[in-house]
Every structure is written in structure tokens, then in C-alpha cells.
Amino acid sequence: MGNQIIRVARYTSGSINSIGREEYRHKYNHKNTSIDEARSRLNITLGNKDRKTLYQLWKTHIEHYGLNYAGKKNQIAMEQIVITASPDFFKQLGWDKIVAREWDKTDIPKEICQYFNDSLKFVKEYIGKENLLSATLHFDEETPHLHVDYIPVICGKRKRKDVYLKDEQGRCIRNERGHAIRAKGSDGKTLYEYVDEPSSINRSQFWAERGGRQSYRQMQDLFHEQVASKYGLERGNRGTDRKHEEQSIYKAKLLKKQIEQKQEAILTLGRLENQTVDELAKVLQKSPHVLGRINQSIKIAMGEKPPNQIITVNRERGR
């Protein structure tokens, strides 16, 4: 029937605005070219009653809960879970992206809505309801999918502080070496003061509390056990790490690699162009792999062979 799909993306504070504009379909030039505006009215957003921007939601959440956020460059400020499934799964439930252009929200198959309701319930329990910002169901792309925005918050912990002897003016009493003297109780044991640290945004610690390097795999297993299996979906391959990238970034990397391959072939031919037969023989003797590249470049240049296709392997991101 198909596979479950659940991915995690992470964002800095500087990218929250652009992510929010695309998620909420605010009017601007979207990088996502697969959006069909005829179906955008079917989209559903939860948790943003005041129609704020995603950055405003994030900022309000931090202030409301008094979260500690250092705001360092490249520090992760927000994460997003994306949940969907194989296209065949939705087709069997009655999804048709062409016919859906004439639908309103009441025409969306109930089984599809139920799948995403169960998915959202799972995320609330796994991530923590208090950490969620908003959730958006998109029906205006190739396959229906759910975005859940949240802040990776770790609860404040009790921190131990040293206690020192002080005089009447509140100054630390020091020994003959100038070191502050630590206070001791009547039992002779060193005294400590315990203070509560505020909750803070810390992605690495957030996922460490959920299994560390195995956290993503465990989340996939739990999602399959609690949600996907009830709809006949498969878990997918275990032991792999699949990394999600934006479509525009993936295409840019693909194009860059193709250009680099062509440049390498041109440079190789240029280096060998003015050399004698004996010199060429010496080069090929030292680096026999160059001959294969030359033959391949000649075939491509003469149209006898198409350019190499770059095969990429996506792996589930392990934490």
C-alpha cells in the first residue's frame, strides 16, 4: 500500500520568516514550483488563530515561556516535522489532485484527514504539546502532507552553586592565600546552594533526551507502531539515514556536480593536448584512470553517449 514518510528539518532564527511565508502561502515568489494555487484553499492551518507570521509565533512563544536563547550565528531556533506517505496510499483513499481543484474542504476524504489527525497527535505526545507553534496541512502540492513547527526546548535543571563565608558587609572571607573560604554546616560538610535554571532552546540536548543517535530511528519505529501500521503503511528500510533537503538546494548541488565533471574532462584534455606520444604514454602509465576519462569525454563530445547521470543516495538522518 506504500510507505510512511516522516522527516525532520531544522532552521535558524534568520530563516523562520521565509519558511513561514511558504508554509502559510503568503503572497511572494515561492521557491517551490509545485504549488497549485487552485488547491491552496484546501490547506488547513492549526495553532495560528491570530494569523501571525511564523517568526511572530516563535518570538511570542519564547517570551511567554521565558526561554533562554543565546541567538548565536547558525544556532538552531526551530525545527519542523513533515509527515506524508507514498502517493499510492492517498490515491487509494480517494485523492486526485486534478479533481481536487474543484473541491472545498468538506470534499477531502475523511480517511486522509484522520491519518493526519493521528499523525499530529503522535507529534504532540513525542515532541511535547507545549513546544508546538503551529501545524499546516498542504493539499496544493503533488502529495498531501503535514508540517508541524516546534521549538526544541529542554527543561531547566537545578544547578549547584558554591556557598562562601561572608563578613558583616557581605564580602567573602578569604584565607591567608587569598582564596574565598567555602561555608560548611554544623556536620562539617560543605554547603551548596541550588538554583533553578530557565528552560532553553537546545536541539542537541533535546534529541539526546529522546535517544541520541538512535532518536530519529526510534521516532520512525514509534510512528509506524502507533500510526502508520494502522493504515497498512510500511516502515521502510531500517539501518539507513535519509536526509531531507529542499528541492532547490538538491537541484543546485546536482547542477554543480555536473559542471565540475565537465570542467575536469576539459582540463584533462587541455593538459594532454600539446604533449608528444611518448609523453602521453608516460602520463597514462602513471595514471591509467585518465584514459577512461578521456574515452568517456570523447564519446560525450561526439554525441555517442549522453552525459553521466548522477546517482544520489538519500539516507535517513541519524542524530
Side-chain angles (χ1 to χ4, degrees):
M1 191 174 187
N3 292 329
Q4 68 180 38
I5 299 175
I6 176 169
R7 304 183 298 241
V8 180
R10 57 188 186 271
Y11 302 102
T12 61
S13 59
S15 60
I16 294 178
N17 255 333
S18 59
I19 295 302
R21 285 197 297 267
E22 181 169 339
E23 182 178 341
Y24 297 155
R25 299 301 190 244
H26 292 168
K27 293 297 182 181
Y28 85 112
N29 294 326
H30 296 286
K31 292 186 293 183
N32 189 348
T33 57
S34 63
I35 296 174
D36 183 355
E37 294 185 357
R39 287 183 276 125
S40 293
R41 66 178 181 278
L42 302 177
N43 295 343
I44 301 172
T45 297
L46 304 173
N48 190 4
K49 297 179 181 179
D50 298 330
R51 297 182 179 275
K52 295 181 178 179
T53 66
L54 185 56
Y55 182 82
Q56 288 172 336
L57 280 180
W58 176 81
K59 191 71 174 177
T60 301
H61 194 94
I62 288 179
E63 294 172 352
H64 177 75
Y65 287 98
L67 301 180
N68 185 16
Y69 177 65
K72 296 179 181 179
K73 185 178 180 181
N74 298 327
Q75 181 180 355
I76 300 304
M78 188 198 81
E79 291 190 319
Q80 184 184 86
I81 288 180
V82 180
I83 297 177
T84 182
S86 302
D88 291 342
F89 167 72
F90 293 107
K91 287 181 181 179
Q92 292 180 16
L93 296 181
W95 173 253
D96 187 321
K97 66 179 183 180
I98 304 301
V99 177
R101 290 178 176 177
E102 307 300 326
W103 287 358
D104 57 34
K105 292 180 180 179
T106 59
D107 295 319
I108 301 171
K110 294 181 179 179
E111 292 82 359
I112 294 179
C113 292
Q114 189 60 49
Y115 171 69
F116 288 121
N117 285 336
D118 291 344
S119 300
L120 181 57
K121 181 181 178 182
F122 168 83
V123 174
K124 285 181 178 180
E125 293 176 355
Y126 191 79
I127 299 299
K129 183 179 180 180
E130 67 282 358
N131 296 326
L132 267 59
L133 296 175
S134 71
T136 303
L137 261 173
H138 283 162
F139 292 99
D140 56 357
E141 297 182 53
E142 292 297 320
T143 307
H145 56 275
L146 171 69
H147 294 266
V148 184
D149 307 304
Y150 65 94
I151 301 177
V153 176
I154 58 171
C155 296
K157 299 179 181 180
R158 301 205 75 189
K159 184 178 181 181
R160 190 176 74 176
K161 293 180 65 177
D162 296 328
V163 178
Y164 298 96
L165 290 177
K166 295 183 179 180
D167 58 22
E168 295 178 354
Q169 285 74 36
R171 295 172 298 187
C172 289
I173 300 175
R174 300 180 180 276
N175 58 22
E176 62 277 4
R177 295 184 178 181
H179 299 155
I181 301 174
R182 298 176 68 174
K184 295 186 178 181
S186 57
D187 57 359
K189 293 183 178 180
T190 302
L191 296 178
Y192 296 99
E193 179 183 354
Y194 292 87
V195 295
D196 293 328
E197 290 185 322
S199 299
S200 60
I201 301 176
N202 189 317
R203 175 185 173 271
S204 58
Q205 185 63 37
F206 178 84
W207 286 104
E209 294 175 353
R210 288 161 177 77
R213 289 183 176 273
Q214 302 299 321
S215 59
Y216 191 57
R217 185 178 303 172
Q218 290 176 10
M219 182 180 68
Q220 293 274 357
D221 291 339
L222 282 174
F223 180 76
H224 182 259
E225 176 186 334
Q226 298 179 17
V227 181
S229 61
K230 298 177 182 179
Y231 292 87
L233 291 168
E234 297 294 332
R235 157 67 171 84
N237 295 331
R238 287 177 172 81
T240 59
D241 290 322
R242 189 174 294 163
K243 184 177 181 181
H244 169 61
E245 290 182 319
E246 289 187 33
Q247 188 179 23
S248 59
I249 297 176
Y250 169 76
K251 289 181 178 179
K253 287 183 178 179
L254 190 65
L255 180 60
K256 181 180 178 182
K257 194 166 184 178
Q258 290 174 338
I259 293 172
E260 288 175 350
Q261 283 187 335
K262 292 179 180 178
Q263 288 177 337
E264 183 181 0
I266 292 171
L267 288 173
T268 300
L269 291 174
R271 287 193 298 267
L272 301 179
E273 184 178 6
N274 297 321
Q275 297 187 28
T276 64
V277 174
D278 292 338
E279 290 172 337
L280 287 174
K282 291 179 181 179
V283 171
L284 296 177
Q285 188 176 11
K286 293 180 180 179
S287 305
H289 65 279
V290 174
L291 182 60
R293 293 181 183 177
I294 294 173
N295 290 334
Q296 188 177 30
S297 300
I298 293 172
K299 290 181 180 180
I300 293 174
M302 296 181 68
E304 297 178 4
K305 182 179 178 180
N308 286 341
Q309 294 183 350
I310 301 172
I311 301 175
T312 58
V313 178
N314 291 333
R315 298 186 174 275
E316 267 178 73
R317 178 179 56 190
R319 298 181 181 280

